[in-house]
Amino acid sequence: MGVKSKAAAAILVLLLFFGSLWLQGGLDYHWDSCIKGYNNVNKLHQLSNSSGGDGAEGPQVLQGCPGQTFQVSLLLSHLLAAPAYTSDVLLQPYLSSWDELVKFMDALGPMVGLISKEIESKTSIIRQLALLAEENPEAELGPDLHSIDSETTEAGTKKSLEASQHTGAYHSVRSMIWVELNRGVVDFHQHSDSGCRTLLRLHRALLWLKLFLEKLAETPVAGRLRSPSELCREAYQNTLANYHTWFVRRAAELAFIAMPERNFFFKLVCVQNQEELSTVLNRVVQAISEVYDRTQKALEENGMLDLP
């Protein structure tokens, strides 16, 4: 085996190991245990986004991208469906958003795609916990009014109570937090396989992707557009790198080197130029920000931002 072959083999081993450590958690459930939810939304191929940034003629429509696995229109539809009440997040569309984001990462090549495998394991864990809760409904505890939404109005409180009586423990971020705290399954001192700890790892990764897409959408007034590889590395250094060991950080650098050039992203979201890319990605980033901020608030209120 020559020097180049040995180097390639070493890089592959590093990246495989890196994928398993990416979110600092083991693979506790098999891939085939993943319970796919929110399937009705997957039928959508167009989405009218009324969340802002539209012209006077009304909301623009994101078209589906024929022949592609990743669909930015589906990603946006799931993200917009996730916020509930005043400050809660529904878990089914939240996890469906991650399904599309995993496809997005897989499309960037095998090196970056390795990262998505650990994310898939995290979404599988929460889905499995939700399935177990459905199979054992007598063990569920109904969340109180404030656990579902700490900012509900008097009118909204009644709706929240009615919703809590007809949904499971893993219906939303706040219902999951309340139930797991009351069951005592959240460990604040050592590793546990609780849904809350798993959500925190996904939450951190969502910030990384949010910053990356935000940077990719930037259109500088003067100067060159930086490479996606450089932008993704910078987003990583400002987010997930804070929780990773030196070895994992070095492995991440190798993964980002293999990232495609900017023209690839034009094709991935079916646009022709940077201006159109910025328009689409800004809408996605805005939707991610709403979901991220709500999740951040729920975790912070319950002292869960540093779960081991």
Side-chain angles (χ1 to χ4, degrees):
M1 183 181 291
V3 175
K4 292 185 177 179
S5 298
K6 290 181 179 178
I11 290 175
L12 182 58
V13 171
L14 287 173
L15 288 172
L16 285 170
F17 182 62
F18 163 61
S20 67
L21 295 176
W22 179 251
L23 295 179
Q24 290 187 335
L27 188 58
D28 300 299
Y29 295 90
H30 298 293
W31 305 127
D32 57 4
S33 69
C34 182
I35 308 300
K36 297 296 181 182
Y38 211 64
N39 290 329
N40 59 312
V41 182
N42 289 329
K43 298 178 182 178
L44 295 176
H45 293 285
Q46 295 183 347
L47 177 68
S48 177
N49 180 3
S50 60
S51 60
D54 303 312
E57 298 180 355
Q60 298 177 350
V61 174
L62 287 185
Q63 302 290 339
C65 296
Q68 293 188 176
T69 302
F70 168 71
Q71 296 289 333
V72 68
S73 60
L74 287 180
L75 171 60
L76 190 54
S77 70
H78 296 317
L79 289 168
L80 291 175
Y85 311 114
T86 304
S87 62
D88 206 355
V89 174
L90 300 177
L91 282 176
Q92 281 193 356
Y94 175 83
L95 296 175
S96 294
S97 300
W98 270 116
D99 291 341
E100 284 303 314
L101 287 170
V102 164
K103 294 174 187 176
F104 171 77
M105 288 184 284
D106 285 342
L108 304 184
M111 298 302 185
V112 179
L114 287 172
I115 298 170
S116 68
K117 298 306 178 186
E118 184 64 14
I119 290 177
E120 282 187 304
S121 77
K122 298 304 181 188
T123 58
S124 294
I125 288 173
I126 296 179
R127 282 176 167 138
Q128 184 69 13
L129 289 171
L131 179 62
L132 292 174
E134 290 177 4
E135 293 175 347
N136 190 25
E138 65 274 9
E140 288 193 15
L141 301 172
D144 63 11
L145 304 181
H146 300 291
S147 67
I148 294 181
D149 190 343
S150 60
E151 295 181 357
T152 47
T153 61
E154 184 175 349
T157 293
K158 183 177 179 181
K159 293 181 180 179
S160 297
L161 177 58
E162 292 173 351
S164 71
Q165 294 172 340
H166 295 88
T167 56
Y170 292 84
H171 173 67
S172 71
V173 167
R174 289 185 176 274
S175 68
M176 178 179 69
I177 290 175
W178 193 92
V179 168
E180 289 200 340
L181 282 175
N182 280 272
R183 290 178 180 170
V185 299
V186 181
D187 197 318
F188 288 84
H189 304 290
Q190 60 185 4
H191 170 92
S192 69
D193 292 324
S194 67
C196 292
R197 178 191 183 274
T198 304
L199 175 67
L200 176 61
R201 269 58 188 176
L202 291 172
H203 183 63
R204 292 170 177 173
L206 187 61
L207 180 59
W208 161 57
L209 288 174
K210 171 184 172 295
L211 292 182
F212 171 51
L213 295 176
E214 198 170 53
K215 292 175 182 294
L216 196 61
E218 292 176 354
T219 304
V221 177
R224 69 177 181 86
L225 288 168
R226 293 190 292 166
S227 70
S229 175
E230 181 182 355
L231 297 176
C232 193
R233 184 187 308 111
E234 184 176 293
Y236 169 77
Q237 291 172 345
N238 292 330
T239 55
L240 285 173
N242 296 320
Y243 308 100
H244 288 166
T245 63
W246 178 91
F247 180 84
V248 175
R249 291 197 299 270
R250 299 290 76 78
E253 297 291 331
L254 294 176
F256 299 147
I257 289 174
M259 186 166 289
E261 294 300 322
R262 188 173 291 266
N263 285 343
F264 175 85
F265 291 89
F266 295 166
K267 298 177 182 178
L268 191 59
V269 298
C270 295
V271 297
Q272 300 297 318
N273 50 50
Q274 179 61 34
E275 183 179 359
E276 293 179 2
L277 180 68
S278 298
T279 299
V280 172
L281 292 187
N282 281 331
R283 294 163 74 179
V284 172
V285 168
Q286 182 179 357
I288 290 178
S289 296
E290 179 67 21
V291 172
Y292 178 86
D293 290 345
R294 287 167 174 248
T295 307
Q296 174 79 6
K297 183 175 182 180
L299 292 171
E300 183 176 15
E301 287 176 352
N302 290 278
M304 293 183 173
L305 292 178
D306 296 306
L307 289 178

